[in-house]
Amino acid sequence: MNLDKLINITGKKGIYKVISKGKNIVVVESLLDKKRIPLHSSSQANMLEEIGIYTYTDTIPLTDVFKKISKKESYKKTISHKSNKDELLNYFRKILPEYDEEKVYISDIKKILQWYNILLEHGIIKEEVKDAFNKEEKRKYENKN
């Protein structure tokens, strides 16, 4: 899973991909509707690869949280970010039981689940078939020798 060049823009829905960079401007494209917009230096945006989720002992990278969801859901869609609060909290506790409930808000959980479903739909989150193939090839090689 490669979250490189993917950003969240404060106040905008969805996830954006960085298309090009200039001196004072960045052009991004929405994964949802493919519309391109300029992102000025005054805009607030976060690279997804730099986002972490607070736990009681450490901060877990967002990528690791997505991997946990993928494993639980067998690389299929997860519950909707529009589910009720209790459902969302119970689900997230199953994914990341050690998350810091005072620092991770329900709005954060909604964003994570919404982003997961968007990334899955656009093929950014997908099962790593390559690793399974390599293990099988390794097993065949070891059996020959």
Side-chain angles (χ1 to χ4, degrees), residues 22-33:
K23 280 187 178 181
N24 296 322
I25 197 166
V26 175
V27 176
V28 296
E29 180 180 84
S30 170
L31 291 182
L32 296 176
D33 60 13

Side-chain angles (χ1 to χ4, degrees), residues 8-49:
N8 166 42
I9 302 171
T10 302
K12 301 255 184 212
K13 194 166 116 178
I15 298 174
Y16 292 80
K17 182 178 181 178
V18 175
I19 300 299
S20 67
K21 296 179 187 180
K23 280 187 178 181
N24 296 322
I25 197 166
V26 175
V27 176
V28 296
E29 180 180 84
S30 170
L31 291 182
L32 296 176
D33 60 13
K34 301 295 182 196
K35 288 185 182 176
R36 292 184 179 191
I37 61 169
L39 186 62
H40 301 281
S41 58
S42 61
S43 300
Q44 292 184 350
N46 297 307
M47 301 293 290
L48 291 190
E49 65 186 0

Side-chain angles (χ1 to χ4, degrees), residues 60-114:
I60 305 290
L62 185 58
T63 306
D64 291 352
V65 176
F66 287 155
K67 286 177 184 175
K68 288 176 183 270
I69 296 171
S70 297
K71 188 175 180 180
K72 181 183 184 326
E73 300 299 337
S74 302
Y75 293 89
K76 294 183 178 134
K77 277 190 146 190
T78 188
I79 66 170
S80 171
H81 64 285
K82 294 180 180 180
S83 299
N84 71 50
K85 182 180 177 179
D86 290 336
E87 242 183 308
L88 293 168
L89 291 173
N90 288 333
Y91 181 84
F92 206 71
R93 283 185 192 114
K94 289 176 186 173
I95 297 299
L96 196 65
E98 69 275 17
Y99 86 93
D100 189 332
E101 295 188 27
E102 291 181 13
K103 293 181 181 176
V104 179
Y105 302 110
I106 191 70
S107 58
D108 300 324
I109 293 170
K110 286 180 177 184
K111 282 182 195 174
I112 292 166
L113 297 176
Q114 181 183 31

Side-chain angles (χ1 to χ4, degrees), residues 114-127:
Q114 181 183 31
W115 292 347
Y116 172 84
N117 284 331
I118 291 170
L119 294 172
L120 183 75
E121 184 179 319
H122 288 87
I124 295 166
I125 294 177
K126 55 189 171 191
E127 194 168 2

